[in-house]
Amino acid sequence: MKEGKSVKHHLHQNGHVAPFKLAKLLDPEAAWDKDQLGDVLHWIRQFVAVVCGLLWGAIPLVGAIWIVVFLAISTGIVYGYYAVILKVDEEDFGGHGALLQEGLFASFSLFLLLWILLYSLAHF
């Protein structure tokens, strides 16, 4: 890939965008653009929301403390991923605030939906 071109614009010979490689997800040496990292962080949060929502509803857990626990787990996993595993410079991506907000509201909504739905269906 030539310097100055983002991965997003790198084309193969057939004119298609280069495929995303799963090995890149754990490679601290990999180059990330803002959109790619944002997408990965978003989908990590969605996965955590599904797991926690289903778990909280099945156990059954009640109370606002479990919302705080979900937010702490989700934020901790996202922070650990980009800061510890990928070792990205957060200032290149808008700072910690921008990275930690990625997918937050969508995952919170999904978490609440699954928690309430499963709790209501299983325990009433």
Side-chain angles (χ1 to χ4, degrees):
M1 179 167 44
K2 296 179 183 176
E3 289 183 345
K5 283 193 167 189
S6 72
V7 174
K8 193 177 202 178
H9 298 292
H10 180 67
L11 300 177
H12 283 290
Q13 291 176 356
N14 61 4
H16 292 99
V17 175
F20 185 81
K21 305 230 186 305
L22 289 178
K24 182 177 181 177
L25 294 176
L26 299 174
D27 184 6
E29 301 297 321
W32 290 90
D33 69 14
K34 192 171 185 174
D35 290 335
Q36 283 180 332
L37 184 59
D39 288 348
V40 170
L41 296 179
H42 173 86
W43 288 109
I44 288 172
R45 278 202 192 268
Q46 303 318 303
F47 178 77
V48 171
V50 168
V51 170
C52 288
L54 293 175
L55 189 63
W56 274 220
I59 289 180
L61 299 174
V62 294
I65 186 68
W66 297 106
I67 293 173
V68 174
V69 170
F70 162 71
L71 292 172
I73 290 170
S74 177
T75 301
I77 289 172
V78 166
Y79 177 80
Y81 180 71
Y82 78 77
V84 177
I85 294 174
L86 294 182
K87 297 177 175 69
V88 298
D89 182 12
E90 66 277 349
E91 295 306 318
D92 293 341
F93 299 95
H96 287 293
L99 290 172
L100 291 176
Q101 280 184 357
E102 198 66 52
L104 178 63
F105 299 110
S107 70
F108 184 67
S109 300
L110 180 61
F111 162 72
L112 285 177
L113 174 72
L114 291 173
W115 183 18
I116 293 167
L117 187 64
L118 188 61
Y119 180 87
S120 298
L121 290 174
H123 303 288
F124 281 110

